[in-house]
């Protein structure tokens, strides 16, 4: 298989000695990201403090994320984590009336489920759709679970465990039809799957930088549909959620226009430098091209896993259309131990419970994916 992005491999020094296939956990460090972090440190060292530079970097990161999801920068808030983004949204919703149900799935990332469960003392009732690993009916199951009492539907676009994809446009339509809002956790999809918040008519979408966005943890972006943002008032807040954060007015609480009202405290400036550089690289290449290549790698991984007799946890039986993101999960007892053994063999992969996840990005070659699966088969034979 031809690698369409081979000229970019030199930007990722680790690839010279190790096949990093862990984008579902931490993607590879690129030279532009390293330079951006070095620049942050240099500015700190040379100038002591530079609010102008810090705010510019945060604004640039926000603009790159907005560009990636086809939103305006003003529709995006900058927070510390996806969990923070969900908490901030939850704090702005009322669960005391008849419409108090939150629909989510058992395959959503637990941190999000915890945020929704934490709303129970405020009146929320959390309804879990029993999603199956490797399943292909999750989108339909979510749509079926939404009813007149649903206030919020929370879906993970690509599942952290098995990589399955939820059709967020379809679940969003089902939510809208019942007068409910949808929150999309795009942490496992942003940077690898095309997202168009307008075409897909999304209400809210959050993603952090550590995975397919090629950055570091500590920063997350929250898109909120402009007319929706305007009527929400988060009670988890801080000075960067104000109309003018630098007004330093202790007596009055106002809410910035648009998504900025979901900002809280001082933004994660160093993480923003990294995210600005990493998303600029992704936007330069273009997510649709990355998505198409990753689908080819997925098909190849499923084919090779079947040939090796490995037990696949992800959806997409050999030859079937691939309803999954870049991550191919293989059932492995003692997955954490095998992850460490794989590293010794030159493969960075990621264990979760009883699976090893092989999660390439655009910089990976087909032989790295095939090699990792063969090594997995050898180690577990
Ligand atoms: C799908 C998904 N959502 C959320 C998270 C956690 O996000 P955060 O730590 O930024 O709250 C993860 C982390 O792996 C994830 O995979």
């Amino acid at each position: 298989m031809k690698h369409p992005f081979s000229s970019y491999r030199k930007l990722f020094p680790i690839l010279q000695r190790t096949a990093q296939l862990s984008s579902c956990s931490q993607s590879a460090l690129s030279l532009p990201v390293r330079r951006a972090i070095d620049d942050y440190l240099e500015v700190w060292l040379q100038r002591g403090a530079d609010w102008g530079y810090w705010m510019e970097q945060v604004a640039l990161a926000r603009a790159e994320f907005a560009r990636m999801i086809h939103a305006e920068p003003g529709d995006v808030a900058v927070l510390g984590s996806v969990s923070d983004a969900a908490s901030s949204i939850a704090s702005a919703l009322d669960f005391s009336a008849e419409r108090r149900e939150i629909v989510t799935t058992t395959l959503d990332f637990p941190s999000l489920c915890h945020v929704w469960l934490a709303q129970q003392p405020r009146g929320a009732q959390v309804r879990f759709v029993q999603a199956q690993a490797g399943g292909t009916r999750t989108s339909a199951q979510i749509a079926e679970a939404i009813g007149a009492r649903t206030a919020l539907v929370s879906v993970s676009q690509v599942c952290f465990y098995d990589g399955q994809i939820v059709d967020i446009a379809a679940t969003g339509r089902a939510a809208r039809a019942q007068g409910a809002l949808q929150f999309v956790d795009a942490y496992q999809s942003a940077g690898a799957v095309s997202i168009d918040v307008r075409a897909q008519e999304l209400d809210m979408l959050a993603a952090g930088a550590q995975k397919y966005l090629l950055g570091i943890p500590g920063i997350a972006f929250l898109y909120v549909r402009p007319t929706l943002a305007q009527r929400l008032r988060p009670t988890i807040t801080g000075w960067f959620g104000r109309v003018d954060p630098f007004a330093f007015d202790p007596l009055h609480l106002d809410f910035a226009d648009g998504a900025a009202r979901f900002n809280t405290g001082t933004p994660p400036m160093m993480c923003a430098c990294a995210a600005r550089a990493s998303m600029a690289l992704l936007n330069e290449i273009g997510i649709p091209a990355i998505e198409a290549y990753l689908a080819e790698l997925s098909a190849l991984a499923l084919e090779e896993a079947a040939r090796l007799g490995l037990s696949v946890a992800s959806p997409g039986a050999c030859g079937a259309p691939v309803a999954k993101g870049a991550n191919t999960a293989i059932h492995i007892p003692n997955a954490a131990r095998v992850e460490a053994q794989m590293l010794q063999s030159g493969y960075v992969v990621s264990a979760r419970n009883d699976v090893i996840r092989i999660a390439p990005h655009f910089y990976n070659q087909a032989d790295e994916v095939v090699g990792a699966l063969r090594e997995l088969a050898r180690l577990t034979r």
Side-chain angles (χ1 to χ4, degrees), residues 24 80-84 109 111-112 156 158 160 185 187-188 208 211 220 352:
C24 58
S81 72
V82 169
S83 306
D84 289 351
F109 194 76
S111 190
L112 276 289
S156 176
V158 171
F160 78 101
D185 173 2
Y187 210 156
Q188 292 286 344
K211 304 179 197 300
R352 277 287 176 275

